[in-house]
Amino acid sequence: MKFIIKSILTLGVFIGVVSCASIPASTATLSQEVISEANSMHQLNIALVNKLFEERKDKVDAFMNNQYIPTYVTKLQANMPSGVDVNAELPNILKSVMPVINRKRDSLHGLLETQRDRMVTSLNTNFAEYQQATTTLQNLISSAVKLKQSEQQTLAQIQSLTNTNINVGKIQNHLDSLLVKTGNGFDKLLKVESAIKGNN
């Protein structure tokens, strides 16, 4: 699960930093749909776990009623002293032993409930980590989309003011080139200055 979360965050950072200008607005909506679907899947997982353990409890009850208690009664009847009316005494005997049998049943149900709680806790913990990762990704996508929309609005405003098409990429490359040339020029000046000082 941690690997999945790291992968989601890495993808989000990559999307947000490297290619934010190319993210369509529909990506934010699509990612929200994916997150919503994941929420539904989590609820379905919890429901399936609850159903599974309810079925296991039913199987415990069926075992107790159809196998354990009849076997127990058969042993009681076999061990009854001669001269005791089994049919007359059996209800009283069962009434006295049923609390013990019910404690066994409750103990088995308790074990199943502990297992169910552990499984649900694990599912909830993993889902909380997933939610945190997807929220971060959603925020990155939304920011990237807003940045793209803001860029488009700014360019449209500039174009409407100047009545010319502006190639932002070309301008950025030109500015980068100027900065490099300026840096090279300063470097040459520093070398000249150093040479002059050295000659003095």
Side-chain angles (χ1 to χ4, degrees), residues 3-195:
F3 175 75
I4 293 172
I5 292 169
K6 286 180 181 178
S7 299
I8 289 171
L9 289 176
T10 303
L11 176 63
V13 170
F14 177 77
I15 289 171
V17 175
V18 177
S19 61
C20 63
S22 63
I23 295 178
S26 60
T27 304
T29 304
L30 179 60
S31 62
Q32 287 173 346
E33 290 297 324
V34 170
I35 291 169
S36 176
E37 184 64 24
N39 292 342
S40 298
M41 289 301 296
H42 176 63
Q43 294 306 317
L44 179 61
N45 285 338
I46 297 295
L48 287 173
V49 167
N50 288 335
K51 182 170 177 54
L52 171 68
F53 280 93
E54 285 304 315
E55 287 176 357
R56 288 182 178 179
K57 283 182 181 179
D58 290 343
K59 286 182 179 179
V60 165
D61 291 342
F63 167 76
M64 295 295 288
N65 294 333
N66 301 328
Q67 295 182 43
Y68 185 82
I69 293 174
T71 301
Y72 190 79
V73 168
T74 300
K75 285 182 180 178
L76 278 177
Q77 289 174 330
N79 293 327
M80 285 271 189
S82 59
V84 173
D85 187 354
V86 175
N87 292 331
E89 293 299 327
L90 190 59
N92 293 328
I93 293 170
L94 284 177
K95 188 176 180 180
S96 64
V97 298
M98 280 310 292
V100 176
I101 292 171
N102 285 333
R103 278 196 296 273
K104 288 181 183 290
R105 185 195 314 265
D106 292 343
S107 175
L108 292 171
H109 281 191
L111 289 173
L112 288 173
E113 193 63 24
T114 299
Q115 290 176 353
R116 187 197 71 84
D117 288 344
R118 285 179 184 165
M119 191 172 288
V120 168
T121 299
S122 177
L123 285 171
N124 286 334
T125 300
N126 290 340
F127 184 66
E129 292 175 357
Y130 167 80
Q131 277 186 312
Q132 187 176 4
T134 53
T135 298
T136 302
L137 177 59
Q138 180 66 31
N139 290 340
L140 286 170
I141 291 172
S142 297
S143 295
V145 169
K146 286 177 184 176
L147 179 62
K148 176 67 175 174
Q149 290 170 342
S150 176
E151 177 187 312
Q152 289 171 341
Q153 288 172 358
T154 303
L155 289 174
Q157 289 171 352
I158 292 171
Q159 187 173 350
S160 68
L161 291 172
T162 61
N163 291 322
T164 58
N165 288 328
I166 296 175
N167 187 331
V168 176
K170 189 174 180 181
I171 293 171
Q172 184 176 358
N173 289 338
H174 184 64
L175 287 173
D176 288 344
S177 176
L178 285 175
L179 287 173
V180 170
K181 287 178 183 176
T182 304
N184 290 339
F186 278 124
D187 188 47
K188 288 177 184 177
L189 285 174
L190 289 173
K191 285 180 182 176
V192 170
E193 182 185 4
S194 177

